[in-house]
Amino acid sequence: MSKGWLIALAGGVLSVLASMAFLGGSPGGWFFVYLAPLPLLLAGLGLGPAAATVAGGGAIVVAGLAAGLLAAGFYGLVFVLPTWLVAQLAFIKRQDADGALSWFPAGWILSWLAVLAAAVFLVASAISYDIGVDKAVSMHLNDAFSVIASSLPEANRQQWEANRPQFVALLTPLFPGVVGTTWVMLTVLNGAVAQALLVRMKRNLRPSPSFSGLALPHWMSWLVVGGATVALIGSGQMEYIGRNLVVILAVPFFFLGLAVIHAAIKRTPFPGALLAIFYLAFMFFGWIVFAVAGIGLAEQWTGLRQRFAGPGKEKE
């Protein structure tokens, strides 16, 4: 077994340990859970697609030995599948009209991650369609809140149980979309950190993509339009599925919107201060997320960024 594969296996084991850090009961354990994709991405982006397969496969085996078959399957779905996809797509090269080789664009990788999340949601929806997708989500939320309640002191437990119906009703309408969005963003952010670390250590196998040059495939906007159409003309379960599909598929447009905003702010006299104010606003105004995704969708159709880019600037 080569040294690279041993490193990949070690990364897989480290990822499993991070994903189970919350079991220790420490509030800070959840921070390590969010970093669970990082070792897998370091192995995949730093050693290549084959190493990503070794790291992911080894991690699933370790998770199964440590927590059982169900936990291994859940771990593989949440952490291994998206990171493996990133590693496979990241090293695809294509030849342009001039004969020059270019790497698979980051915007396309981001789009395929969103498609993967949407596909998983559709499969889960098909499985639970007979009982109702929204009802299935509500049942799972009730079960999760019951587990949380069992760990609370008696005084707090009664208050929690009294408020549980309101919490479930509030979360159910967009819960699958939020979960899918979090899944994609967790992979993207860990991928960005992994690539930055590899560049710093001079171990990266592909150059870092330019965020300002982020571009999405044209078919991505049509998927959003399709989901929105289902949500608008559908009723009951179809409306619920369409609405959450739009939320998941809008993630790439959120990042594209950020690229447009960065391009616009860079043309101002005080870009650093304005960017700081912009990101600070995220903490107080949740609707900004939807506005940014809307800007990204507008960029896809109208090319807003061309107005802010300097001469000779091209998309990725």
Side-chain angles (χ1 to χ4, degrees), residues 6-49:
L6 287 174
I7 294 174
L9 285 174
V13 173
L14 185 60
S15 173
V16 173
L17 293 176
S19 70
M20 297 181 178
F22 71 97
L23 296 176
S26 171
W30 284 103
F31 173 76
F32 293 100
V33 176
Y34 298 143
L35 294 178
L38 184 57
L40 298 174
L41 288 162
L42 283 170
L45 297 177
L47 297 172

Side-chain angles (χ1 to χ4, degrees), residues 158-195:
Q158 293 179 2
Q159 183 179 5
W160 179 268
E161 290 290 349
N163 293 325
R164 184 170 64 173
Q166 290 86 349
F167 289 151
V168 172
L170 179 65
L171 294 175
T172 297
L174 291 176
F175 186 76
V178 172
V179 170
T181 297
T182 304
W183 191 44
V184 175
M185 287 195 167
L186 193 66
T187 305
V188 170
L189 295 176
N190 276 277
V193 172
Q195 179 68 9

Side-chain angles (χ1 to χ4, degrees), residues 24 79 129 131 139 157 162 250 270 302:
F79 297 115
Y129 196 84
I131 64 173
M139 289 169 53
R157 186 183 311 166
F270 307 102
T302 64

Side-chain angles (χ1 to χ4, degrees), residues 11 62 75 80 86 98 156 162 171 178 221-222:
V62 172
Y75 171 84
V80 174
V86 169
D98 298 328
N156 294 335
L171 294 175
V178 172
S221 58
W222 290 109

Side-chain angles (χ1 to χ4, degrees), residues 58 66 158-159 192 213 235 246 248 276 284 303:
Q158 293 179 2
Q159 183 179 5
S235 60
V246 170
I248 296 171
F284 302 99

Side-chain angles (χ1 to χ4, degrees), residues 63-177:
L65 293 174
L69 187 60
L70 183 62
F74 182 77
Y75 171 84
L77 177 65
V78 173
F79 297 115
V80 174
L81 182 58
T83 55
W84 179 86
L85 178 65
V86 169
Q88 304 310 305
L89 296 177
F91 294 100
I92 295 176
K93 294 181 180 180
R94 61 185 181 183
Q95 194 171 25
D96 59 24
D98 298 328
L101 291 176
S102 59
W103 296 91
F104 197 71
W108 284 62
I109 298 176
L110 175 59
S111 297
W112 279 112
L113 276 175
V115 169
L116 175 62
V120 171
F121 168 60
L122 287 176
V123 171
S125 298
I127 294 173
S128 57
Y129 196 84
D130 288 341
I131 64 173
V133 183
D134 56 342
K135 291 182 180 178
V137 170
S138 179
M139 289 169 53
H140 286 301
L141 285 172
N142 268 304
D143 292 341
F145 285 149
S146 295
V147 172
I148 294 174
S150 65
S151 63
L152 296 175
E154 183 62 31
N156 294 335
R157 186 183 311 166
Q158 293 179 2
Q159 183 179 5
W160 179 268
E161 290 290 349
N163 293 325
R164 184 170 64 173
Q166 290 86 349
F167 289 151
V168 172
L170 179 65
L171 294 175
T172 297
L174 291 176
F175 186 76

